[in-house]
Amino acid sequence: MLAGVLTASGVGTVADAAAPADAAPTAGKPLAAAKPLAAAPQTDVPAAPMGWASWNSLASQIDYDTIKAQVDALVSSGMAEAGYEYVNIDEGWWWGTRDSKGDITVDTKQWPGGMKAIADYIHSKGLKAGIYTDAGKNGCGYFYPTPPGTPPAPGSGSEGHYEQDLRAFQEWGFDYVKVDWCGGQDEGLDQETTYRAISQANKAATAVTGRRLVLSLCEWGSGRPWNWAPGVGDLWRTSTDIIYWGQTPSATAMLSNFDQGLHPTAQHTGYYNDPDMLMVGMRGSNATLDRTHMSLWAVSGAPLLAGNDLTTMTRETAGNLTNPEVIAVDQDPRGLQGVKVAEDAAGLQVYAKVLSSTGKRAVLLLNRTSTAKPITARWTDLGLTGAAASVRDVWKRAPVGTHSGGYTATVPAGEAMLLTVSGTEAPGTAYQSTTGSFTVTAKTAGLKLADITYANGGTAPRTATLRVGGQYATTLALPPTGSATARRTVSVLLSLAKGANTVTVSGGPDAISVQDLPGTGGAQAVGG
């Protein structure tokens, strides 16, 4: 029963939940003379979406030819080859009109051949197509016509037509939908209730068309979606827009959205916090800000949705957007979010993201101060041992040596350095249970890395539910493992209290391995 329990987080003590015949089942009791166990392989989970979206640079000034030009530039610039696959048509594609059956009608001068024609063109380039609507009766184009002078668009939301509209998007060939919240906010709708209804409508439409839409929830973090959105949507906005029409990119907005997007216990198994679209390459930005922006989004594992005008993009901007090592950090198949693990002095911060290879981390050294300062990343703060580890500069795509204990670099004011570190994984503790209830003991409060072992012999992902104590339950997606006996792991970050914690997993997993991320100690998330 214990074979394969210890997961890719490393070798450690095994705790068995099986109880003596005359006792109630328990969990968390270390076995005497426990032996190292073979690791179950890590399962790759869907990465955060990458692509381009029309809103930041074009607002509602879009039509077939405009989008076609952006599609062509996405391909010719090398962005498509680098992984940017979605072309998301944002607000401005529809003015709220419907026919007698309630079906959406579009301006055929704006979209010759209808929306299916532009989706077909996007697909013809090997890309995927995204579209936009609102959860309320009226979309954002009614309340905030953009640019100024644009006529308001009443009726441009999907309330009352959720399944009908989502089925239409699927039948037109779209692959992704962003559902905004201007109408929902105006009507005082409940965020969780509304988006759960939209999620169910998406599934019902898929049952008819056989085509599923990636569901992007855009209620700007107003309903704390990180508590309930995993499994309802694929990604969810955590803050307001990073830039508004007429503004230029700023470090203040970038850092604010980055900070608001850090909800690491919610990001796992293919579900993502979304701090909004990229400002990289937009008018008023610069290469330094662009690289810092990409580094922040990469370490947080955020969706990479470019918002610049691709038809006027410089070669330098294209290079910043397509750096393969930066993209690899963002798209790491373990699917976790980076977390702050150290801040030795105010504004000198270290973030770490657990990557898919054993002993590998992405590390961000962020200097929020007004002068250049040295910042140190300690290996033990990353969940590694202090043994020698190799360090690589991601932007320079070059090694910077092997270092024991940690690495110190001077980071310019307002900038960031993105590294990868390959070292020795610190030991974890494995637990097994036949009831799905685990008693996990933590030496300190804070975030812990947990690998969850399961088998899924089906052909599609199935879901499980995880809860820590009284916190919100979260939905896990468990990809197929190849057979009912092939065991694999997926990873999550748990927020644990010091001492004993009850971790409940329903839906199949029977083992977890838990490992400290020591630098995150001292903070515990609670339900409420």
Side-chain angles (χ1 to χ4, degrees):
M1 287 294 292
L2 293 178
V5 171
L6 194 66
T7 68
S9 68
V11 172
T13 305
V14 176
D16 192 350
D22 59 351
T26 61
K29 180 181 178 183
L31 289 180
K35 296 181 179 180
L37 300 173
Q42 187 80 34
T43 299
D44 291 353
V45 301
M50 291 178 61
W52 173 86
S54 61
W55 180 254
N56 282 0
S57 290
L58 303 178
S60 60
Q61 299 173 316
I62 53 175
D63 57 18
Y64 181 95
D65 290 335
T66 302
I67 298 301
K68 179 179 179 294
Q70 298 293 329
V71 172
D72 293 343
L74 190 72
V75 174
S76 63
S77 66
M79 286 180 63
E81 185 177 2
Y84 291 84
E85 62 177 347
Y86 287 97
V87 176
N88 291 346
I89 302 170
D90 211 288
E91 183 189 353
W93 70 269
W94 175 47
W95 303 101
T97 54
R98 297 181 183 270
D99 63 18
S100 59
K101 296 180 181 179
D103 291 331
I104 291 172
T105 58
V106 298
D107 182 345
T108 54
K109 292 183 179 178
Q110 184 182 9
W111 305 103
M115 300 310 293
K116 185 178 186 305
I118 190 62
D120 287 347
Y121 185 78
I122 293 168
H123 290 152
S124 75
K125 299 297 183 178
L127 302 170
K128 296 179 180 178
I131 201 165
Y132 170 97
T133 189
D134 193 281
K137 294 182 176 68
N138 295 306
C140 292
Y142 174 74
F143 301 97
Y144 309 103
T146 307
T150 303
S156 54
S158 286
E159 186 182 1
H161 301 273
Y162 291 153
E163 185 178 343
Q164 183 178 16
D165 288 358
L166 293 173
R167 186 170 67 246
F169 300 158
Q170 293 173 10
E171 290 172 344
W172 293 342
F174 283 89
D175 308 283
Y176 179 114
V177 62
K178 171 183 168 183
V179 185
D180 221 333
W181 189 240
C182 291
Q185 180 184 58
D186 179 70
E187 297 169 40
L189 301 179
D190 178 77
Q191 293 93 328
E192 181 177 355
T193 301
T194 302
Y195 281 103
R196 286 190 182 278
I198 292 169
S199 180
Q200 289 301 313
N202 191 29
K203 294 174 183 176
T206 297
V208 175
T209 68
R211 188 181 194 91
R212 179 184 177 274
L213 293 162
V214 170
L215 183 55
S216 170
L217 315 183
C218 186
E219 48 81 275
W220 325 306
S222 61
R224 298 174 180 167
W226 44 88
N227 288 328
W228 49 263
V232 176
D234 300 279
L235 60 157
W236 50 90
R237 277 277 294 280
T238 52
S239 53
T240 54
D241 289 8
I242 195 169
I243 190 169
Y244 293 98
W245 184 260
Q247 294 180 338
T248 55
S250 74
T252 300
M254 173 189 70
L255 290 169
S256 175
N257 277 43
F258 170 71
D259 290 339
Q260 293 178 75
L262 295 176
H263 302 281
T265 60
Q267 184 161 304
H268 53 71
T269 63
Y271 304 131
Y272 292 93
N273 297 301
D274 177 11
D276 201 12
M277 296 169 282
L278 295 167
M279 302 180 292
V280 173
M282 291 187 65
R283 185 176 302 166
S285 189
N286 58 67
T288 299
L289 181 63
D290 288 350
R291 286 191 290 270
T292 300
H293 193 0
M294 287 289 291
S295 297
L296 292 168
W297 264 232
V299 82
S300 61
L304 297 180
L305 297 171
N308 58 312
D309 184 344
L310 304 181
T311 64
T312 59
M313 178 171 55
T314 66
R315 183 173 298 178
E316 182 178 43
T317 294
N320 288 334
L321 284 166
T322 58
N323 181 301
E325 295 192 20
V326 177
I327 290 173
V329 168
D330 180 85
Q331 297 282 288
D332 182 78
R334 205 164 187 171
L336 295 175
Q337 184 166 54
V339 298
K340 187 171 74 172
V341 298
E343 188 169 4
D344 294 344
L348 304 179
Q349 299 178 335
V350 180
Y351 293 81
K353 179 181 180 182
V354 179
L355 301 178
S356 54
S357 298
T358 299
K360 190 166 185 180
R361 304 288 189 266
V363 176
L364 181 86
L365 309 180
L366 176 62
N367 182 359
R368 295 182 185 239
T369 75
S370 57
T371 57
K373 298 278 187 178
I375 304 177
T376 298
R378 292 176 292 272
W379 299 163
T380 53
D381 283 349
L382 313 180
L384 304 174
T385 71
S390 60
V391 182
R392 186 173 178 85
D393 186 311
V394 171
W395 278 104
K396 293 180 179 178
R397 298 163 66 180
V400 291
T402 299
H403 302 265
S404 295
Y407 177 73
T408 301
T410 297
V411 181
E415 296 185 27
M417 178 178 290
L418 185 61
L419 310 167
T420 54
V421 176
S422 299
T424 303
E425 202 77 54
T429 302
Y431 302 81
Q432 187 163 12
S433 173
T434 57
T435 66
S437 180
F438 306 85
T439 300
V440 176
T441 302
K443 294 180 181 178
T444 59
L447 291 173
K448 316 296 176 183
L449 171 65
D451 292 331
I452 298 173
T453 304
Y454 72 99
N456 177 7
T459 58
R462 72 164 192 265
T463 59
T465 302
L466 180 146
R467 184 191 296 273
V468 177
Q471 297 173 27
Y472 279 87
T474 190
T475 298
L476 308 177
L478 305 178
T481 61
S483 77
T485 57
R487 295 162 67 80
R488 300 289 185 270
T489 67
V490 290
S491 299
V492 298
L493 294 174
L494 305 179
S495 179
L496 301 183
K498 182 179 179 180
N501 295 261
T502 300
V503 179
T504 306
V505 188
S506 61
D510 62 0
I512 62 175
S513 177
V514 181
Q515 175 187 338
D516 280 344
L517 293 176
T520 66
Q524 182 207 2
V526 295

